[in-house]
Amino acid sequence: MTGAVGGGLRRLGVIGCGLMGAGLAELGARSGFDVVVAVSSDRSLRAGRERVLASLDRSVAKGRIGAEDRDAAVGRLSFTDTLGELADRELIIESVTESHPVKAKVFAALDAVLPKDHDVVLATNTSSLAVAGLAASVRREDLVVGTHFFNPVGTMPLVELISSPRTAPEAAARAERFLAEGLGKRVVHAPDRPGFVVNALLVPFMMSAITMLESGHATAEDIDAGMTQGCGHPMGPLALSDFTGLDTLAAVAQGLFEQSDDARYRPPRLLLDLVTAGHLGRKSGRGFYEYA
């Protein structure tokens, strides 16, 4: 593949191939980028490749893309368990576990294998962590940005782009061109503050709905109906919590509470009890609702 694809870039690196990483890798390959996906082990490599290929096959089966498009995307994808194979990338998105220590360790390891004079834009895909804190793990803090993609990556149109106080304007501009022109996303600029824009509004709303249910103020069905049929939301806050994963939601809320000391983010006891019981929402078959 030759020439620029989107935003002047054509070589994309993705670190991690879980739900979000796989979605990013697939979207990048379908958008015409040469994508290298780096994972931590051979087992993760096999699982990640299978996840991406299965998703592409589903898109063909549903008529969203043709078989030729699927084959072209597969041809642009490669997988590795060696970070050094990302050294020639022009933009790298880290999408591992939502944990500052884990992400910082990955960034430090990546920094060690990149050329000292590199100008690679490094993005951490995060829903709640401070970008400036993660940028401190690398030499070129000015090249670090944050991205907050939404699940599923391929169909949700929005992405938040976060610049830390140390992010160079050119690095942020390159990232925005990649997101908007390369991936076709609507970009919202967010400050490097707890919750950015979306979760600063959404998480307190979801915590309030859970507290309302916990107190017996209303049933789950009535709370969600109030927001879908009364306010036009596509999904009620409790159904959305189940879709997100109650363990993920609790972790994000707790992290935001610890960063901000804002009681609006504090996870209610009901949420924590459901997580402890293993009722994690759709993925476990039970949360605020039961699922087949």
Side-chain angles (χ1 to χ4, degrees):
M1 187 172 66
T2 60
V5 174
L9 305 172
R10 69 183 184 91
R11 298 190 303 276
L12 172 66
V14 176
I15 303 177
C17 203
L19 184 64
M20 297 301 289
L24 289 168
E26 179 184 352
L27 178 60
R30 285 177 56 178
S31 299
F33 292 91
D34 172 33
V35 182
V36 176
V37 184
V39 294
S40 59
S41 67
D42 184 63
R43 178 180 178 182
S44 296
L45 188 153
R46 292 194 303 271
R49 179 189 287 119
E50 290 172 4
R51 183 176 289 114
V52 175
L53 296 183
S55 179
L56 285 167
D57 287 342
R58 286 194 298 272
S59 293
V60 172
K62 294 179 179 179
R64 294 172 181 165
I65 62 173
E68 291 184 358
D69 296 325
R70 184 259 188 205
D71 293 343
V74 171
R76 300 186 191 105
L77 279 165
S78 60
F79 296 80
T80 180
D81 57 5
T82 304
L83 278 179
E85 294 193 27
L86 299 180
D88 69 337
R89 301 292 93 183
E90 296 163 300
L91 185 144
I92 299 171
I93 305 176
E94 165 275 311
S95 186
V96 300
T97 302
E98 185 77 348
S99 160
H100 179 97
V102 173
K103 288 179 178 288
K105 184 177 180 180
V106 168
F107 261 52
L110 176 63
D111 193 54
V113 300
L114 291 176
K116 292 183 178 180
D117 59 347
H118 81 84
D119 64 350
V120 182
V121 176
L122 306 177
T124 177
N125 189 47
T126 176
S127 60
S128 60
L129 299 177
V131 175
L134 292 169
S137 304
V138 301
R139 291 163 291 173
R140 295 293 306 274
E141 296 181 54
D142 58 312
L143 294 175
V144 178
V145 300
T147 57
H148 179 201
F149 287 84
F150 296 84
N151 183 41
V153 174
T155 57
M156 295 294 280
L158 189 77
V159 60
E160 292 183 289
L161 176 61
I162 305 99
S163 295
S164 83
R166 294 183 177 273
T167 302
E170 173 56 24
R174 286 166 61 191
E176 181 173 12
R177 289 194 297 270
F178 162 73
L179 296 168
E181 299 173 20
L183 300 185
K185 295 295 186 182
R186 168 71 165 89
V187 178
V188 169
H189 290 271
D192 192 17
R193 296 167 58 181
F196 309 137
V197 171
V198 173
N199 279 341
L201 292 169
L202 181 61
V203 173
F205 169 59
M206 296 167 84
M207 296 305 104
S208 180
I210 297 169
T211 299
M212 181 176 286
L213 176 65
E214 182 178 52
S215 69
H217 188 104
T219 66
E221 291 80 4
D222 284 349
I223 292 169
D224 280 354
M227 300 313 298
T228 57
Q229 299 178 37
C231 297
H233 290 204
M235 187 179 293
L238 300 174
L240 178 59
S241 298
D242 278 352
F243 179 79
T244 300
L246 301 190
D247 52 341
T248 300
L249 177 60
V252 169
Q254 184 63 34
L256 291 173
F257 173 62
E258 292 173 357
Q259 291 179 60
S260 65
D261 199 30
D262 186 336
R264 296 178 305 150
Y265 295 118
R266 189 197 300 271
R269 174 50 56 186
L270 175 59
L271 174 60
L272 299 177
D273 287 347
L274 286 170
V275 172
T276 300
H279 303 319
L280 308 181
R282 283 183 177 270
K283 60 186 175 184
S284 70
R286 179 179 174 185
F288 294 110
Y289 299 96
E290 293 189 5
Y291 302 89

